[in-house]
Amino acid sequence: MLKGFRDFILRGNVVDLAVAVIIGAAFNAVVTSFTKDVLGQLIAAVVGKPDFSGVVLKIDGKPVILIGNFLNATISFIIVACVVYFGVVLPLNTLLARLQKPAPAAPSSTKTCPECLSEIPLAAKRCAHCTQPVAVEPNPITS
């Protein structure tokens, strides 16, 4: 029983997940600070205040609807999503695209008939379209 538990804990997936959670928590603090302390203050400079929690909708005799809190959460989500996308995802995808080697082209499985110029299989001895005899080329896959 303990051997199975040890094997489970030492599996790469569990360790990778633990590292991802720890790094994610640390990164969350950085993104939250950037959103609140930098971008929130820029919004406050433009709009006048960084917090919309004072915006409420009052209905006669009913509890107030806190629209401002919803606006705060929505704006915060959009800012965090933009920071993560433009600060992490986009640069990482660009870097990975530069590092990836292009896939080698697959060898052609057809050739052109010299008489009618139609595509025929490499192993064909005669064109299926015009019945012209064609030379059999050696197959580069099996050769």
Side-chain angles (χ1 to χ4, degrees):
M1 183 171 88
L2 291 177
K3 183 181 181 299
F5 180 72
R6 183 193 70 200
D7 292 344
F8 170 73
I9 292 298
L10 294 178
R11 228 191 279 174
N13 297 346
V14 174
V15 174
D16 290 345
L17 181 60
V19 170
V21 168
I22 293 167
I23 295 296
F27 186 70
N28 181 38
V30 171
V31 171
T32 302
S33 175
F34 181 74
T35 301
K36 178 181 162 192
D37 301 332
V38 177
L39 295 178
Q41 300 309 313
L42 290 174
I43 291 172
V46 173
V47 177
K49 59 190 220 179
D51 191 10
F52 298 106
S53 61
V55 178
V56 295
L57 178 64
K58 294 182 182 180
I59 301 175
D60 295 330
K62 305 289 182 193
V64 295
I65 299 172
L66 305 173
I67 293 177
N69 288 341
F70 176 73
L71 288 174
N72 284 339
T74 303
I75 291 170
S76 178
F77 171 77
I78 290 171
I79 291 171
V80 168
C82 287
V83 168
V84 168
Y85 180 75
F86 292 111
V88 177
V89 174
L90 192 62
L92 186 62
N93 286 345
T94 304
L95 178 67
L96 290 176
R98 286 184 182 176
L99 294 177
Q100 281 183 340
K101 296 178 182 175
S108 176
S109 63
T110 61
K111 60 184 174 183
T112 305
C113 172
E115 188 69 28
C116 69
L117 302 178
S118 61
E119 294 292 315
I120 56 175
L122 284 176
K125 296 179 182 177
R126 192 173 288 271
C127 178
H129 303 283
C130 68
T131 67
Q132 174 71 24
V134 292
V136 177
E137 297 177 13
N139 190 344
I141 297 173
T142 60
S143 300

